[in-house]
Amino acid sequence: MRLKNKLSTKLQSEFLLTGSIIAICIAFSPYLFYLYEIFPSGPVWENSFFTYESKYYENVLTAAWTYLGKITPLFLLFIWFFTCKHWWYHVILVPITMYFFQLISIFYDDVYIDSKVMDTDQLLYLAPFFIAILCIVYLIRIKIFDRIYGIDLSEIERENLSPFSPLSDKDYKEIKSFQQETKPEDEIREDYYVKL
């Protein structure tokens, strides 16, 4: 009993620690966005590690504002994706992909001012991914629906039942077994008329 209490207390403290870290990260998100204010206002940013030249925006401050304007919601969407317990959480990958693609587009526009390197028809490139994610989510929804209501789609097709029927598989099997045990309809009528 004492070991069980220690394990329970340990799990609760881990859960509390994880929740606290996530809450701090979410609370930190406005500060993440306003980090752009520490960047210089010129077209070139030189430091001891690298030199960054903003070709498209011609201002490192504006480029940083644009990058952090995409990174901050992307960061929050990642937190939402990894902490969501709903069956539809895969749909969150759609805006994650959109922000990630926009971030890459912004980077290519700023580093290589030639827009031929990165095409701007984002929806055309993202549409197959969106469709794939929506198909996966719909399949998950069907599996959950089947598990909750006990419906076997192959049996519905085989027996030509309506999917909106209030009968479950168990009820349908009981009706079938009852029908097989009972006499044909003509014999039932003859018995009825004989008893009259």
Side-chain angles (χ1 to χ4, degrees):
M1 186 70 172
R2 182 176 280 176
L3 180 63
K4 188 175 180 180
N5 287 339
K6 284 185 179 180
L7 288 175
S8 174
T9 306
K10 184 178 179 184
L11 288 175
Q12 288 176 349
S13 64
E14 287 177 4
F15 180 74
L16 185 62
L17 177 66
T18 305
S20 299
I21 291 171
I22 291 169
I24 289 170
C25 288
I26 293 171
F28 176 73
S29 63
Y31 295 103
L32 176 66
F33 174 71
Y34 282 106
L35 280 177
Y36 76 87
E37 292 179 353
I38 66 170
F39 292 96
S41 177
V44 177
W45 177 36
E46 292 183 20
N47 58 30
S48 58
F49 300 110
F50 60 89
T51 301
Y52 180 79
E53 181 181 358
S54 177
K55 296 178 181 174
Y56 182 77
Y57 297 104
E58 298 178 356
N59 190 346
V60 176
L61 182 69
T62 307
W65 177 79
T66 308
Y67 292 142
L68 290 170
K70 301 297 179 189
I71 291 171
T72 304
L74 187 63
F75 172 70
L76 293 171
L77 284 168
F78 271 119
I79 290 174
W80 188 18
F81 178 76
F82 287 116
T83 59
C84 187
K85 295 181 182 177
H86 295 287
W87 62 268
W88 49 262
Y89 76 98
H90 290 92
V91 175
I92 301 171
L93 288 173
V94 172
I96 285 175
T97 307
M98 180 190 70
Y99 274 108
F100 188 71
F101 192 81
Q102 287 176 352
L103 191 62
I104 291 172
S105 300
I106 291 167
F107 179 75
Y108 274 107
D109 283 345
D110 199 33
V111 172
Y112 312 105
I113 196 147
D114 186 17
S115 62
K116 292 179 184 175
V117 175
M118 193 70 177
D119 198 2
T120 57
D121 296 330
Q122 297 175 8
L123 291 177
L124 293 177
Y125 292 120
L126 296 178
F129 182 75
F130 292 163
I131 292 169
I133 291 294
L134 290 175
C135 290
I136 289 170
V137 168
Y138 187 72
L139 289 174
I140 291 171
R141 183 197 168 278
I142 288 174
K143 290 286 187 184
I144 290 172
F145 187 85
D146 290 347
R147 183 164 289 170
I148 289 173
Y149 295 107
I151 295 174
D152 185 12
L153 296 178
S154 60
E155 188 172 320
I156 289 173
E157 291 173 4
R158 186 174 63 241
E159 299 296 336
N160 204 8
L161 286 176
S162 169
F164 303 108
S165 172
L167 298 177
S168 67
D169 288 340
K170 184 179 176 184
D171 295 336
Y172 182 72
K173 288 176 184 176
E174 288 177 5
I175 291 170
K176 274 292 201 188
S177 67
F178 178 74
Q179 287 174 345
Q180 291 172 353
E181 291 175 2
T182 59
K183 299 177 185 177
E185 191 175 309
D186 291 337
E187 291 178 21
I188 294 173
R189 284 186 187 157
E190 286 178 19
D191 288 342
Y192 175 73
Y193 287 122
V194 168
K195 290 179 184 177
L196 277 178

